Structures are given as C-alpha cells and as structure tokens.
Amino acid sequence: GKLYDYKNSIILNKLHPSFRELAKQFFAKVKTDLGIQLIATSGYRSFVEQANLHLTNPKNAKPGLSNHNYGFAFDANGLNPVTGKIILKKDSTTQDWINSGIIKIADSMGLLWGGVEFKGYHDPVHFYINPNGLKSSQLLALHNRGKVDSNGYVNIS
C-alpha cells in the first residue's frame, strides 16, 4: 500500500547514492514478479546506531563493520498485500525465504543475502552488496581516511 511505499522511499533514499536504484528495482521486481510487498525496516545506519545494536545483541556487527553503516545494506520483511499479513521476517526459515522466490531475484540482481552469508547468525532480512568488491572493513578504512563525499557517503570509485 501507499504507506509502505512512502516508508520504503524514505529508507531507500538514504542508501548510498550508487546503491539506491538497484534497491528500488529489487523492491519493484519482487512486487511485480511475486506479488510480495517488501517493507524496508532498516537501511543506512550511523556508527552510533550500530554501536547500540551491537550492545543489545553482540551478534550484530560492531560499528563500522556493517554495510548498513555505509548505505550498502537494507533489511526488509515480506508482506502479502492481499491479506496484509507479514509472511517473511527475521524468524522465518531460510527455506521459507528461498521458496518465496525473493532470493532468486536477489541473486539475479547481484544482491548478497544474510540468510546464507553469515556463519552462525540467521539474518534472512538482510540484503547487501560489497561495492566494487569492498567489504565493510575496507569501507571503514576509506571512511577513516576521509574518503567521503559532502554527505558523508564513502567514495568507492
């Protein structure tokens, strides 16, 4: 619905400028192809927000070591727009996410998925990229060297 579209646009428009369009296309393709409305629950996250999450749950990445901290990750739940019920969320099984068809679309668009990428941490709501092959530790190094644009986004080129 319109409310979710509005909420999604706020979150997706704060992603790294080079990642926004891909994220929006992913949300649109999932809706068009599968009839599932993705609801963004998190996108860009400051180091402070990340530190608080890490304190709450030590399995969450430390500040600077999450792709959320650079706008290269988002978390999303899946909603059945007909029933209005959330059908995919963090505690849904890896298999439920795969069976939905969402992961196949993510793969086809070059998105990495937290349902399989993290050892010992089930995070199927997490979708991300390593821009130009850069992992979070490398993004942190760029950030610490001041390689950021006027809005604070890391320069990856």
Side-chain angles (χ1 to χ4, degrees):
K2 286 221 184 324
L3 179 64
Y4 291 125
D5 290 338
Y6 177 69
K7 187 183 174 202
N8 285 344
S9 73
I10 290 172
I11 291 176
L12 298 181
N13 281 323
K14 286 185 184 158
L15 293 173
H16 193 285
S18 69
F19 184 46
R20 278 176 208 158
E21 202 48 48
L22 179 63
K24 290 175 186 177
Q25 287 169 5
F26 174 64
F27 276 61
K29 189 163 175 55
V30 167
K31 194 168 187 184
T32 306
D33 292 7
L34 306 174
I36 297 171
Q37 164 110 44
L38 289 173
I39 304 163
T41 57
S42 181
Y44 167 80
R45 228 184 260 150
S46 71
F47 284 29
V48 171
E49 290 168 309
Q50 192 67 39
N52 289 333
L53 275 177
H54 180 70
L55 286 172
T56 316
N57 176 0
K59 284 191 172 180
N60 283 317
K62 291 180 175 151
L65 293 178
S66 168
N67 282 26
H68 282 285
N69 302 147
Y70 309 98
F72 289 114
F74 58 82
D75 296 343
N77 291 327
L79 177 98
N80 177 329
V82 178
T83 63
K85 292 216 183 338
I86 301 269
I87 52 172
L88 292 163
K89 52 188 192 291
K90 186 156 186 154
D91 63 10
S92 302
T93 68
T94 303
Q95 201 55 52
D96 283 344
W97 278 90
I98 293 168
N99 292 347
S100 73
I102 290 172
I103 309 313
K104 190 173 183 192
I105 292 174
D107 284 345
S108 76
M109 297 179 80
L111 288 169
L112 300 169
W113 178 49
V116 291
E117 299 293 336
F118 305 130
K119 300 287 173 269
Y121 185 37
H122 180 67
D123 199 7
V125 296
H126 182 78
F127 296 87
Y128 67 106
I129 61 165
N130 290 326
N132 297 342
L134 298 168
K135 293 192 160 59
S136 57
S137 56
Q138 295 166 298
L139 294 169
L140 177 59
L142 288 171
H143 173 273
N144 288 345
R145 290 208 309 271
K147 305 280 187 192
V148 294
D149 69 14
S150 58
N151 294 310
Y153 293 107
V154 172
N155 286 321
I156 53 160
S157 49

